Amino acid sequence: MFVVDDPLVVDGLVVRYGAKVAVDGLSFRLRPGEVYGLLGPNGAGKTSTIKAILGLVEPSSGSALVYGKRAKDDPVYVKSKIGAVLENPVLFDSLTPNEFFEFVASVRGVRDVDRIRALIEAFDLQTYMETPIAALSLGNKQKVAVVAALLHSPGLLILDEPFNGLDVRAVAIFKDILLKHIEKGGAVLFSTHIMEVAEKICTRVGIIHQGRMVDEGTVDELKQRIHGSSLEEILLKATQLEKDVAEALKGLG
Amino acid sequence: MDKSAKGRALVDSLYKEIVFQSYVASRLTGLPTAQVNRLIRNGLRSKYVVTGVYGFIFVLIMFATLTMSVDGRLIFPIEAFIWVFLLVFLPTLQLSYGASAGGQIREMLDTLPMTTAQIERLSARAILKTIDAPLAIAFSVLILGGILVGPLFTLSSVLGGVSSLGIAMLAILLLMRTFRKFNTTSRFGSVLRMVVVVPAIFVWVLTGYVANLKVVATSPTMIYTPILNLVGVSAGNSSALYLALIYTLIIGAVGYKSFLSASTLLLSPLVSTPQKAGRFKIRVRSQLASIVVTDLRQVVRSPRLIGFFVTPLVFVTILVYDLYFGGAVSRIGFDFVFLQDIVPFVFAISYMPYVLYLSELRGYSYFKILPVRNSMNVLSKMLTTLIVFFGLGSIMAYAAYLPLHSIYVFAAVYSLGLPLAASVLLTTVYFNYSINKMSMGVAGTLTSILFTVLNIIVLGIPVGFYYAGALLGAPPLMRVAYLCVASTVELIALLIVETRVKP
Ligand SMILES: Nc1ncnc2c1ncn2[C@@H]1O[C@H](COP(=O)(O)OP(=O)(O)O)[C@@H](O)[C@H]1O
Ligand SMILES: [Mg+2]
């Protein structure tokens, strides 16, 4: 019997840095066609979760299965299934975007040069193709990282704060690409603290706080359950940061 | 806090930031705090390591001079000139490469309530602080040594040291200016970064020239040629002294101005040249080829890493000269040349894989999300290293072949490819081990020393077998066979270890 495995199954994931517990028993699942938003304040454990999925840090317990496999057991399989944009992507500074895309395409075995070209033009990078990545603006670096993540038409896109520094045009195109991607049965996991974006494109969101899942569901479900009108309000309520904010404001006088 | 104390505190933090930028930040981002602190400590400490090494060299030169004949001693100030140059030129150049974040430092300084002149003076002081200790030790030894050898030597060697400082600063300023004119990705820029080491090599080769210099203190050359006439100064010639005072003053002043401009330049933003839009070509390669190409590109574009790349090249140049034009092979025999020159050349190349891994580290967190098998990566490092070895090694073997006319020379040189391959595996194990320890390939001093020792052993055992063969009277090709067998055993052993240590 053939089992079609889901793009991502995270089960009881724990990530520790020494004594610090960054992710504390997190579980969630992504089905094909879903855009899942991982929401949470700074330090909630979003990046650590993503790193564990990619195999960049080893979980202390629990697991993350990408199309049925753990990064630890079959890193090449997992990495070929994922397209990732990491937080503060460290690219190859001395290469030009042109050389960088050549490198990523070659390593990932992408032969479709027209697709690469189309992506470059969609993100308006043509004029920067010969500039060393080190000399690009933050937004353009981010675009380079996004294009590199999309080159091989991955099944699962993992994006850590992907809208950092992107301009309006790029965000619009990016959203469009995400929608096309899930229409074709792909899945997207992304972390963000920009609520409008999450509200518009997520099919489901998980709110995490101090490494734990506080609440999970569609945006509408959460609105009803927590009695908030916007995702931002829901986040503040769910993570009980509302009181914090009030106190901080009082302190500032 | 009074004003000068405040200034000192600022210079201190600025100095720390410059060291951080040039030794640490250019390598990585996103390290845990403890690691960053350790790396900064290592960076700061490296100044004292350099000081120790140079102090030792200067003391050595001084004693060597003391043992010389009265005439021979006269070259002391010229030796001082050469070593002060290397002492200033190399570390400052290294600094100028790493500080690509210099622009940001400058912007931060510009927000402080100070005048531009104050900021520039502050930057100059902070940069001076990166070489102050080695300079102090050098001049102390020169002065003390001069007193031992004779007071005239103190005078001439200090004059030599000051001129040397000035010329080094001027050279650095000119190089920095030229660098900034060219894009890092241009071919010409890469070639330029390779030739940058030439002034240093030139001065280094000068030591050989100076050692063979026929010193006649009264000859016009030793009185009227700048720098060389420091010999005349040591011998007490007053014309030489006046001339030397004049040019030292001029060079010193030019050097001081150059230093101020260079330190300002060091902390100012790089302006990248505008690009023509439109045409671009995407060429997809095989996985192996693309890793090799990317590795080479990064190494060639990083002025820091290219130094490692150029070292073997320098070896070959000096060697070919020595073997072919100097006739060393016929003079001392191939076996000796093999041990004295060719094996060290392989040793220099054996550090390349480490450099390649280091370049990968710059994009490391990115590299880690790519589906590259570890074995494929090791293979790419091995391929690149062996390409360089066989390319340069062939030139060297050919130079040895010309006087000897024996094909055996090629067999001997090429056989060293095997222990070199073993060394690549050793480097891989070491590198993965450092990554696992989270020291990210910038291992502590002790592990680096351990690595060097192990590397010497890996290269040394097969070479030992070769000479054991020679001692036992085995014919030349048999000795090569011994070497090959020994390194094959190593290769297999390291392969087993390598597959056990996962990155
Ligand atoms: N390399 C590390 N070493 C130690 N602690 C870390 C490391 N990376 C992250 N942390 C800590 O783990 C927690 C979660 O961090 P992170 O996953 O980056 O959160 P988020 O991405 O949600 O902002 C934070 O408290 C952070 O300080
Ligand atoms: Mg994060």
Side-chain angles (χ1 to χ4, degrees), chain B residues 141-154:
Chain B
V141 175
L142 287 185
I143 291 169
L144 290 177
I147 290 170
L148 277 180
V149 190
L152 276 173
F153 285 86
T154 302

Side-chain angles (χ1 to χ4, degrees), chain A residues 56 76 79 90 92-94 96 98-100 102-103 106-108 110-111 117 127 130-132 148, chain B residues 29 183-185 275 277 280-285 287 290 294 297-298 301 362 366 368-372:
Chain A
L56 302 183
V76 172
K79 287 169 188 181
V90 182
F92 295 71
D93 275 353
S94 64
T96 64
N98 196 347
E99 293 162 346
F100 182 60
E102 278 181 358
F103 173 63
S106 307
V107 166
R108 289 192 175 278
V110 179
R111 294 276 171 270
R117 216 169 256 288
T127 43
E130 297 299 327
T131 312
Chain B
T29 50
N183 217 316
T184 30
T185 52
Q275 299 297 319
F280 57 89
K281 210 170 80 197
I282 303 280
R283 193 183 327 153
V284 182
R285 301 179 174 87
Q287 198 178 49
S290 78
T294 305
R297 273 188 179 140
Q298 294 198 89
R301 282 175 198 169
R362 294 221 45 178
Y366 198 86
K368 278 191 108 168
I369 65 173
L370 294 175
V372 179

Side-chain angles (χ1 to χ4, degrees), chain B residues 11 46 50 71 80 91 103 128 157 190 201 250 307 320 349 483 491:
Chain B
V11 168
S46 73
V50 171
D71 275 353
L128 189 63
S157 58
S190 301
I201 295 166
I250 295 171
V320 166
I349 289 191
L483 189 154
L491 209 58

Side-chain angles (χ1 to χ4, degrees), chain A residues 25-28 36 38 206-209 211-216:
Chain A
L26 203 62
S27 304
F28 62 97
Y36 190 99
L38 216 46
I207 296 176
I208 63 172
H209 185 46
R212 297 212 183 96
M213 187 68 78
V214 181
D215 211 336
E216 195 191 28

Side-chain angles (χ1 to χ4, degrees), chain A residues 5-233:
Chain A
D5 287 297
D6 278 341
L8 180 65
V9 180
V10 175
D11 185 26
L13 188 72
V14 177
V15 176
R16 282 205 186 89
Y17 301 104
K20 165 98 200 163
V21 181
V23 179
D24 195 3
L26 203 62
S27 304
F28 62 97
R29 172 186 283 252
L30 254 86
R31 295 185 189 84
E34 275 195 315
V35 179
Y36 190 99
L38 216 46
L39 311 183
N42 287 332
K46 304 179 295 282
T47 300
S48 304
T49 304
I50 286 172
K51 283 188 173 166
I53 296 168
L54 282 162
L56 302 183
V57 298
E58 199 166 319
S60 324
S61 67
S63 67
L65 299 181
V66 176
Y67 292 98
K69 289 193 174 160
R70 288 193 301 177
K72 197 184 166 205
D73 300 332
D74 195 345
V76 172
Y77 173 83
V78 167
K79 287 169 188 181
S80 62
K81 286 289 186 187
I82 297 178
V85 176
L86 299 178
E87 192 180 33
N88 314 315
V90 182
L91 303 171
F92 295 71
D93 275 353
S94 64
L95 299 187
T96 64
N98 196 347
E99 293 162 346
F100 182 60
F101 295 146
E102 278 181 358
F103 173 63
V104 176
S106 307
V107 166
R108 289 192 175 278
V110 179
R111 294 276 171 270
D112 186 356
V113 174
D114 289 334
R115 179 187 159 77
I116 303 174
R117 216 169 256 288
L119 278 169
I120 289 166
E121 277 159 18
F123 282 90
D124 213 8
L125 282 170
Q126 309 88 294
T127 43
Y128 300 101
M129 291 301 278
E130 297 299 327
T131 312
I133 291 175
L136 295 180
S137 69
L138 178 67
N140 282 328
K141 268 187 204 166
Q142 191 71 8
K143 285 185 192 172
V144 170
V146 168
V147 170
L150 294 169
L151 285 184
H152 60 297
S153 324
L156 173 62
L157 262 174
I158 297 187
L159 312 161
D160 199 358
E161 310 273 359
F163 303 108
N164 270 348
L166 286 189
D167 51 32
V168 197
R169 179 180 182 276
V171 171
I173 288 171
F174 196 14
K175 272 198 277 186
D176 202 50
I177 288 176
L178 289 189
L179 292 178
K180 278 200 194 112
H181 173 75
I182 54 171
E183 265 168 34
K184 283 189 269 178
V188 182
L189 170 70
F190 78 96
S191 83
T192 189
H193 54 253
I194 306 177
M195 297 304 156
E196 307 100 275
V197 179
E199 213 161 342
K200 267 184 206 144
I201 60 174
C202 290
T203 53
R204 236 153 25 102
V205 296
I207 296 176
I208 63 172
H209 185 46
Q210 296 176 342
R212 297 212 183 96
M213 187 68 78
V214 181
D215 211 336
E216 195 191 28
T218 65
V219 175
D220 286 338
E221 279 169 15
L222 289 183
K223 276 183 184 168
Q224 283 184 359
R225 208 178 308 154
I226 310 185
H227 307 295
S229 60
S230 71
L231 209 45
E232 197 161 338
E233 207 178 312

